[in-house]
């Protein structure tokens, strides 16, 4: 292996980095309310099934392809190709992947900027700087732009530091802080009046909703988004794993942390909403559904924090701090996709690559900020609902059909003298070949048709 390439220094470091990528805004603001409005525990079950039966096998395809190639998605797909057409198509898929990762970051950075803004607004308000606090928490072009740039610079700084000294080091610091904060917040909120009702909404299944096409399509998009799949993030992180590591175990640990934190976030968000309702905050929309996503985070929860005076300030700081950390460990993995490509393809230094990628993505983000109503929702739908599952499909086809089976197995069992016929080894290659592509195609066709 080339000594120039970065590598994760430890197994723990890799798990924190990959779980950091996976655990993001999707887990904390998306999953709990989607669960609440889609049948509670019934949705949780569908989501868990999709996470383990579809997303985990695709995650394994990415990690294995990445470690095999010790390179980005374009290099990896070319390396397993057996003819020019496959290589050409692989390059195309790789380019779409890099573009999609950049597109996701361009909207993600806007939302993450809001998290930082709200996180600062509360202490500023408590210190008497009410104008600054209001500016930070009200929607405006200038605020959106400035905070997005702040967040992009933070992301760039970590990525420019390199794999071990930037990404791994910060993930190892931030992820434990995230987990501790999340658990502490949930435990506190569960003691408040109204929390039990929220818990019931989360945990009592409404099976009538489970077969709706929308629910399954949304759960698939959510599962792909949540595990950061399709766009080459996990592939490039896989390329930094040492050959000594057992990939199926590492992948399973990352998937477990991701799903575990999503489920845990449900124990915070839903009780918090019903605590807010108990204090007179409106938590339902006109159609009678629970308020979700941006309204939930930036209207309902702030109203709750406001009703609690000093305790509210502390809770708000902890909550928006938590969201900012979750966002940062994800955004660095998105930026790593174009950065690793520039470094590997043009032999640029990391700093130069990180700067150029940051400037381009910030420009895309600025275009969204300037045409918010038109572009924001559109970019999210195109990149996460369509592009990610389709790219995931392409990755399964490369891992399952293009890559020679014996070479694939050898990569998986790199450090073992003989290939043990474990359950995973027996089933997974067959599974990514037939089952994963079929699930993705059936869900997409059912939704579009
Ligand atoms: N998994 C991240 C989240 O849940 C989002 C993400 C998508 C990260 C694609 C990297 C690549 O917020």
């Amino acid at each position: 292996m080339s000594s120039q390439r970065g590598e994760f220094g430890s197994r723990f470091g890799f798990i924190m980095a990959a779980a950091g990528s996976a655990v993001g805004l999707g887990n904390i603001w998306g999953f709990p309310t989607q669960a609440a409005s889609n049948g509670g525990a019934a949705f949780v079950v569908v989501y868990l099934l999709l996470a383990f039966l579809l997303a985990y096998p695709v995650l394994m395809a990415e990690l294995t392809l990445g470690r095999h190639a010790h390179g980005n998605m374009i290099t990896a797909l070319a390396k397993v190709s057996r003819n020019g057409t496959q290589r050409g198509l692989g390059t195309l898929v790789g380019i779409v992947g890099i573009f999609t990762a950049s597109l996701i970051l361009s909207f993600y950075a806007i939302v993450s900027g809001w998290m930082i803004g709200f996180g600062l607004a509360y202490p500023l308000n408590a210190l008497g700087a009410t104008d600054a606090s209001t500016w930070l928490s009200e929607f405006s072009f200038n605020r959106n732009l400035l905070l997005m740039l702040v967040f992009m610079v933070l992301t760039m700084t970590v990525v420019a530091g390199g794999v071990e000294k930037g990404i791994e080091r910060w993930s190892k610091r931030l992820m434990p802080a995230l987990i501790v904060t999340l658990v502490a917040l949930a435990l506190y909120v569960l003691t408040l009046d109204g929390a039990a009702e929220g818990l019931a909404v989360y945990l009592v299944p409404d099976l009538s909703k489970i077969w709706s096409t929308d629910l399954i399509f949304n759960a698939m998009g959510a599962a792909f988004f949540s595990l950061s799949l399709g766009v080459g993030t996990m592939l490039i992180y896989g390329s930094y794993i040492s050959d000594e590591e057992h990939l199926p175990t590492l992948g399973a640990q990352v998937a477990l942390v991701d799903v575990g934190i999503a489920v845990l976030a449900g124990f915070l968000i839903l009780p918090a909403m019903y605590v807010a309702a108990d204090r007179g905050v409106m938590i339902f929309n006109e159609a009678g559904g629970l308020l979700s996503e941006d309204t939930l985070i930036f209207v309902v929860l702030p109203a709750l924090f406001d009703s609690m005076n000093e305790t509210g300030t502390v809770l708000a700081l902890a909550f928006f701090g938590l969201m900012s950390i979750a966002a940062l460990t994800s955004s660095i993995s998105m930026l790593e996709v174009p950065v690793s490509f520039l470094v590997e393809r043009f032999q640029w230094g990391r700093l130069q690559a990180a700067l150029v990628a940051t400037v381009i993505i910030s420009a895309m983000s600025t275009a969204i900020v300037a045409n918010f109503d038109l572009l924001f929702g559109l970019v999210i739908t195109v990149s996460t609902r369509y592009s990610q599952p389709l790219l995931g499909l392409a990755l399964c086809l490369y891992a399952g059909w293009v890559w020679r089976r014996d070479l694939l197995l050898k990569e998986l069992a790199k450090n073992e003298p003989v290939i043990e016929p474990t359950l995973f080894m027996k089933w997974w290659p067959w599974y990514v070949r037939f089952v994963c592509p079929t699930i993705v195609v059936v869900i997409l066709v059912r939704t579009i048709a």
Side-chain angles (χ1 to χ4, degrees):
M1 198 185 90
S2 133
S3 55
Q4 306 289 311
R5 290 199 91 238
E7 193 174 272
F8 289 114
S10 66
R11 178 178 309 167
F12 178 71
F14 164 77
I15 294 172
M16 288 300 105
S21 167
V23 174
L25 302 180
N27 299 57
I28 304 175
W29 93 350
F31 174 79
T33 46
Q34 268 195 338
S37 32
N38 288 304
F43 178 88
V44 179
V45 171
V46 173
Y47 179 83
L48 290 183
L49 284 176
L50 281 171
F52 284 102
L53 296 180
L54 179 64
Y56 170 65
V58 179
L59 170 67
M60 285 312 302
E62 284 209 28
L63 293 179
T64 321
L65 278 164
R67 188 173 72 176
H68 180 65
H70 287 308
N72 63 70
M73 191 152 150
I74 298 180
T75 319
L77 298 184
K79 186 157 182 191
V80 299
S81 293
R82 293 191 236 175
N83 58 42
T85 317
Q86 291 174 351
R87 248 189 305 279
L89 284 173
T91 305
L92 183 70
V93 171
I95 292 173
V96 176
I98 294 171
F99 182 67
T100 306
S102 310
L103 210 56
I104 293 179
L105 181 51
S106 71
F107 78 75
Y108 209 84
I110 302 174
V111 182
S112 309
W114 297 340
M115 300 297 169
I116 297 181
F118 271 80
L120 294 174
Y122 278 85
L124 281 175
N125 192 37
L127 294 172
T130 40
D131 286 350
S133 167
T134 312
W135 187 81
L136 283 168
S137 46
E138 274 179 4
F139 194 95
S140 73
F141 173 82
N142 288 342
R143 177 204 67 160
N144 294 350
L145 186 69
L146 183 80
L147 292 177
M148 176 274 285
L149 290 173
V150 168
F151 185 76
M152 285 301 298
V153 170
L154 277 178
T155 305
M156 185 191 79
T157 313
V158 175
V159 172
V163 178
E164 200 179 342
K165 299 234 164 62
I167 297 175
E168 179 173 354
R169 176 194 288 174
W170 280 100
S171 304
K172 279 200 308 209
R173 286 177 184 163
L174 295 176
M175 285 305 286
L178 179 141
I179 295 172
V180 171
T181 315
L182 182 59
V183 171
L185 276 172
L187 287 178
Y188 177 72
V189 167
L190 283 170
T191 63
L192 302 175
D193 286 345
E197 210 180 324
L199 213 50
V201 172
Y202 183 41
L203 295 178
V204 177
D206 173 359
L207 293 173
S208 65
K209 300 240 173 82
I210 211 166
W211 290 118
S212 99
T213 331
D214 250 19
L215 183 155
I216 297 181
F217 180 61
N218 286 339
M220 176 171 78
F224 272 102
F225 184 72
S226 182
L227 269 178
S228 315
L229 296 178
V231 297
T233 299
M234 289 301 183
L235 192 148
I236 197 70
Y237 275 17
S239 80
Y240 303 135
I241 301 179
S242 121
D243 286 347
E244 262 89 84
E245 298 293 345
H246 185 64
L247 287 181
T249 312
L250 283 186
Q253 286 166 335
V254 170
L256 275 174
V257 175
D258 181 52
V259 168
I261 292 194
V263 172
L264 190 60
F267 286 95
L268 166 65
I269 300 291
L270 288 159
M273 289 185 85
Y274 281 82
V275 170
D278 196 64
R279 291 163 174 255
V281 178
M282 190 61 209
I283 62 166
F284 298 101
N285 58 25
E286 276 165 17
L290 272 181
L291 290 171
S292 62
E293 299 184 348
D294 50 343
T295 334
L296 160 69
I297 304 289
F298 301 117
V299 179
V300 175
L301 295 183
L304 169 65
F305 300 140
D306 288 342
S307 74
M308 301 169 111
N309 304 323
E310 285 87 33
T311 322
T313 306
V314 177
L315 285 184
L317 192 60
F319 179 75
F320 289 110
L322 167 81
M323 292 302 261
S324 306
I325 291 175
L328 185 63
T329 53
S330 296
S331 65
I332 54 182
S333 74
M334 296 173 203
L335 187 62
E336 180 61 17
V337 172
V339 167
S340 60
F341 169 73
L342 294 173
V343 168
E344 284 164 16
R345 179 78 179 70
F346 303 112
Q347 269 87 50
W348 286 4
R350 274 192 86 82
L351 181 62
Q352 181 189 4
L355 254 172
V356 170
T358 301
V359 168
I360 296 175
I361 294 168
S362 303
M364 289 160 55
S365 212
T366 307
I368 301 178
V369 170
N371 303 283
F372 195 84
D373 292 342
L374 181 69
L375 290 181
F376 186 68
L378 184 71
V379 168
I380 296 183
T381 308
V382 170
S383 58
T384 68
R385 291 291 182 260
Y386 292 97
S387 190
Q388 273 194 287
L390 281 171
L391 286 162
L393 173 66
L395 285 164
C396 290
L397 297 179
Y398 270 82
W401 293 88
V402 174
W403 198 351
R404 269 182 37 200
R405 177 79 59 98
D406 52 335
L407 297 178
L408 168 88
L409 290 177
K410 228 170 154 181
E411 177 60 47
L412 278 168
K414 218 167 196 169
N415 210 27
E416 296 160 26
V418 280
I419 298 180
E420 298 272 354
T422 56
L423 209 61
F424 184 87
M425 289 296 194
K426 274 218 278 277
W427 284 92
W428 178 75
W430 172 86
Y431 195 89
V432 273
R433 188 167 196 178
F434 296 105
V435 183
C436 291
T438 312
I439 303 179
V440 176
V441 170
V442 168
I443 297 181
L444 279 176
V445 168
R446 263 181 47 141
T447 313
I448 298 165

